[in-house]
């Protein structure tokens, strides 16, 4: 493979599941959020909405909601001090893909500036509940939007794991 800074970032990024309790810097959060706004979207509609959660009371709510869906009492965000929730309008035919691109772009941006991230699921179920719908209203998210996923975001409290061996047979040339 050719080598450059972007490709190196893609190859070295890993999902991190252990975070320091130190909150990330505002400039780092803004950088990751802004990168998410540059993610590709169907027909360039830029529909996904991002909610950055750092307030302890809100964090406690979303941790509890996600853990309930998971059927666990553990923190499904691995103790990350910041969580970015991504919502998209279900009326768009590409809403899942658009939000997924936002999440992937933010993970790569986070890694490029020394932050750790992990893509977390169950936001769809979380925000279909009355408690979830109430939070969405508080945040000004319009009806018809669905929770697609989130990022646990912070400083890694572990070494980056080594990448697993790449599976063969995944590329077909036609």
């Amino acid at each position: 493979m050719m080598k450059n800074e972007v490709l190196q970032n893609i190859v070295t990024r890993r999902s991190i599941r252990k975070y320091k309790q130190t909150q990330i810097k505002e400039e780092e959060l803004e950088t990751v959020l802004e990168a998410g706004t540059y993610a590709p979207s169907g027909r360039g509609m830029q529909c996904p909405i991002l909610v950055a959660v750092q307030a302890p009371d809100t964090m406690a709510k979303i941790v509890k909601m996600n853990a309930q869906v998971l059927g666990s009492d553990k923190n499904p965000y691995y103790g990350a001090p910041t969580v970015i929730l991504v919502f998209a309008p279900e009326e768009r035919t590409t809403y899942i893909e658009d939000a997924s691109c936002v999440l992937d772009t933010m993970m790569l941006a986070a890694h490029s500036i020394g932050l750790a991230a992990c893509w977390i699921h169950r936001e769809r179920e979380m925000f279909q509940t009355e408690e979830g719908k109430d939070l969405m209203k508080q945040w000004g998210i319009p009806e018809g939007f669905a929770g697609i996923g989130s990022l646990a975001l912070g400083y890694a409290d572990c070494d980056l794991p080594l990448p697993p061996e790449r599976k063969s047979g995944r590329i077909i040339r036609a």
Side-chain angles (χ1 to χ4, degrees), residues 83-152:
V83 171
I84 302 174
L85 304 164
V86 180
F87 299 86
E90 292 181 293
E91 69 185 24
R92 299 280 311 141
T93 57
T94 58
Y95 77 107
I96 293 172
E97 293 85 351
D98 293 350
S100 296
C101 285
V102 168
L103 287 157
D104 190 48
T105 298
M106 290 191 301
M107 285 192 304
L108 290 169
H111 180 59
S112 77
I113 61 171
L115 294 177
C118 188
W119 186 326
I120 308 295
H121 286 286
R122 295 171 294 281
E123 279 66 26
R124 176 178 304 282
E125 298 89 343
M126 289 168 59
F127 291 99
Q128 288 175 339
T129 66
E130 288 308 311
E131 184 178 15
K133 290 176 185 177
D134 287 345
L135 281 173
M136 290 173 69
K137 282 180 191 170
Q138 288 175 32
W139 297 330
I141 298 173
E143 286 190 32
F145 273 66
I148 305 301
S150 66
L151 284 189

